[in-house]
């Protein structure tokens, strides 16, 4: 791979190969090694715990020299653009930039430029794409069910603002899963989502699906309008303990995290037997190793 920015830019075969390699790393496979000293830089313009730290760990496991870009003390404070920042890092010799930014599709200008000399790995762009989250979600689903074909997956919650929903619905549909969506009407962009699955109340899907993928209510992307209290949201749209009792015994609960406990998901369910939320976080390290390895191979950085 030259870059890793959006599931739209990846073939099914490329994604499945990343999952397989992630599993190899999880089983203890050795990395074939870097040709020479290689720098990766993590630029997080939006906050993160999981994506940022698991990329950092993945980079360390691959033997990369890791640079953490501090937005507040960088020339961004003098008005430097993202383009000029990445142009600079490429010129300094950085091979891979992992970027999270609030601007959707920020990566398009970077990957088109003939002067940007580093691979771009998207750690999330606004409400656009979160392809590495999608990869770790797919890895977790595949570990559980062995296939995506015919699997019934519900994606539930703040769909409108969710880059996780967008990457997952696009990839899961392409891999043969049957998708269901549940959300408050104001957070259901039907013109965009209808082509991927069926919109139903959560009570009509909870007993039918294999995966309940719950999404965080993204308060930071709302305009301050609160249309429901946390308790009312939980009661009407959340996975409550009572609703979870109606899930198939083989079904699993997923959530990209951080979780608003007792809003989209009952506190008791976060670490319950049917939850795979902790596994998702663990898988993030291994699939991100696979992603970084693939882009480093694309830049001829491997032995
Ligand atoms: N799931 C996810 O992207 O979490 P972070 O915001 O902590 O990276």
């Amino acid at each position: 791979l030259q870059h890793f920015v959006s599931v739209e830019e990846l073939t099914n075969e490329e994604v499945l190969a990343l999952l397989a390699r992630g599993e190899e790393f999880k089983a203890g496979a050795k990395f074939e090694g870097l040709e020479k000293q290689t720098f990766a830089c993590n630029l997080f313009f939006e906050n993160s715990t999981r994506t940022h730290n698991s990329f950092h760990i993945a980079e360390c496991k691959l033997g990369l020299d890791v640079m953490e870009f501090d937005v507040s003390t960088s020339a961004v404070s003098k008005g430097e653009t993202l383009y000029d920042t990445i142009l600079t890092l490429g010129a300094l010799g950085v091979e891979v930039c992992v970027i999270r930014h609030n601007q959707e599709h920020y990566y398009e200008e970077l990957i088109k430029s003939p002067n940007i000399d580093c691979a771009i790995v998207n750690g999330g762009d606004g409400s656009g794409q979160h392809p590495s989250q999608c990869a770790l979600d797919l890895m977790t689903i595949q570990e559980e069910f062995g296939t995506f074909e015919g699997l019934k997956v519900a994606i539930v919650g703040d769909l409108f603002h969710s880059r996780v929903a967008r990457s997952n619905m696009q990839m899961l549909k392409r891999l043969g899963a049957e998708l269901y969506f549940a959300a408050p009407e104001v957070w259901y962009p039907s013109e965009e989502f209808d082509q991927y699955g069926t919109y139903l109340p959560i009570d009509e899907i909870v007993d039918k699906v294999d995966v309940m993928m719950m999404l965080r209510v993204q308060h930071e992307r709302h305009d301050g309008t609160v249309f429901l209290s946390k308790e009312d949201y939980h009661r009407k749209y959340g996975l409550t303990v009572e609703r979870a009792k109606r899930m198939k015994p083989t079904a699993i609960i997923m959530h990209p995290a951080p979780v608003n406990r007792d809003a989209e998901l009952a506190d008791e369910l976060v670490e319950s037997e049917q939850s795979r939320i902790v596994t998702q976080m663990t898988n993030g390290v291994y699939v991100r190793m696979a992603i970084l390895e693939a882009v480093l191979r694309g830049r001829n950085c491997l032995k």
Side-chain angles (χ1 to χ4, degrees):
L1 301 179
Q2 294 303 306
H3 304 281
F4 181 84
V5 292
S6 161
V7 300
E8 289 160 324
E9 310 258 337
L10 299 166
T11 65
N12 289 6
E13 291 68 33
E14 284 169 335
V15 172
L16 294 172
L18 290 174
L19 305 189
R21 188 62 175 146
E23 289 297 350
E24 285 178 9
F25 280 130
K26 193 173 178 178
K30 291 271 173 294
F31 173 55
E32 54 194 272
L34 298 164
E35 189 71 62
K36 57 178 173 50
Q37 186 179 33
T38 306
F39 292 94
C41 186
N42 300 322
L43 303 92
F44 278 69
F45 293 82
E46 278 189 348
N47 291 342
S48 163
T49 296
R50 278 143 291 272
T51 311
H52 195 160
N53 290 300
S54 61
F55 265 118
H56 190 121
I57 291 171
E59 289 154 359
C60 291
K61 280 176 178 272
L62 296 179
L64 291 157
D65 282 88
V66 184
M67 297 160 57
E68 291 297 345
F69 183 82
D70 180 358
V71 177
S72 65
T73 58
S74 73
V76 171
S77 63
K78 302 176 195 172
E80 186 160 64
T81 62
L82 179 63
Y83 178 87
D84 285 336
T85 300
I86 304 304
L87 182 71
T88 303
L89 292 172
L92 296 181
V94 172
E95 294 287 352
V96 185
C97 286
V98 178
I99 307 172
R100 172 173 285 188
H101 203 281
N102 63 4
Q103 187 194 319
E104 276 174 42
H105 306 295
Y106 73 79
Y107 47 80
E108 280 173 3
E109 182 190 21
L110 304 178
I111 65 174
K112 276 186 203 142
S113 167
N115 298 327
I116 297 280
D117 189 18
C118 53
I120 307 300
V121 174
N122 183 10
D125 59 302
S127 299
Q129 285 278 321
H130 197 345
S132 68
Q133 177 72 44
C134 175
L136 73 89
D137 289 341
L138 295 180
M139 183 170 164
T140 308
I141 293 171
Q142 195 179 48
E143 280 178 357
E144 195 71 33
F145 300 101
T147 182
F148 302 99
E149 196 64 49
L151 210 64
K152 292 184 166 61
V153 180
I155 308 181
V156 180
D158 189 352
L159 296 163
F160 182 79
H161 300 99
S162 179
R163 55 193 174 209
V164 177
R166 287 187 173 82
S167 291
N168 272 318
M169 74 181 180
Q170 291 169 9
M171 245 359 272
L172 281 164
K173 177 145 171 99
R174 269 167 46 187
L175 292 169
E178 200 177 298
L179 295 180
Y180 295 87
F181 301 115
E185 243 179 283
V186 287
W187 291 343
Y188 184 68
S190 55
E191 65 293 347
E192 182 186 1
F193 277 60
D194 274 354
Q195 61 191 299
Y196 293 97
T198 310
Y199 178 56
L200 286 169
I202 187 169
D203 283 316
E204 291 184 32
I205 55 179
V206 71
D207 55 349
K208 295 180 183 62
V209 299
D210 301 296
V211 178
M212 285 294 285
M213 185 181 287
M214 307 306 295
L215 300 174
R216 183 171 66 86
V217 177
Q218 298 195 38
H219 297 288
E220 75 277 18
R221 297 194 203 282
H222 301 166
D223 62 6
T225 314
V226 178
F227 66 93
L228 278 176
S229 67
K230 178 178 166 180
E231 293 71 26
D232 283 345
Y233 183 83
H234 187 58
R235 192 171 45 77
K236 285 182 79 169
Y237 302 106
L239 188 56
T240 62
V241 171
E242 281 312 306
R243 280 198 182 103
K245 285 179 187 156
R246 295 181 50 224
M247 287 172 59
K248 295 202 276 191
T250 52
I252 60 169
I253 298 166
M254 297 178 68
H255 191 304
V259 180
N260 296 308
R261 289 179 184 245
D262 290 332
E264 63 267 6
L265 184 60
D267 177 35
E268 298 93 313
L269 298 175
V270 176
E271 293 144 84
S272 65
E273 212 173 304
Q274 282 178 286
S275 169
R276 294 295 176 272
I277 296 170
V278 174
T279 308
Q280 286 174 265
M281 295 189 280
T282 303
N283 285 346
V285 171
Y286 298 110
V287 88
R288 286 176 173 125
M289 287 174 73
I291 292 164
L292 290 165
E293 181 188 51
V295 296
L296 289 168
R297 183 174 293 111
R299 289 183 62 77
N300 297 319
C301 293
L302 304 188
K303 278 184 188 148

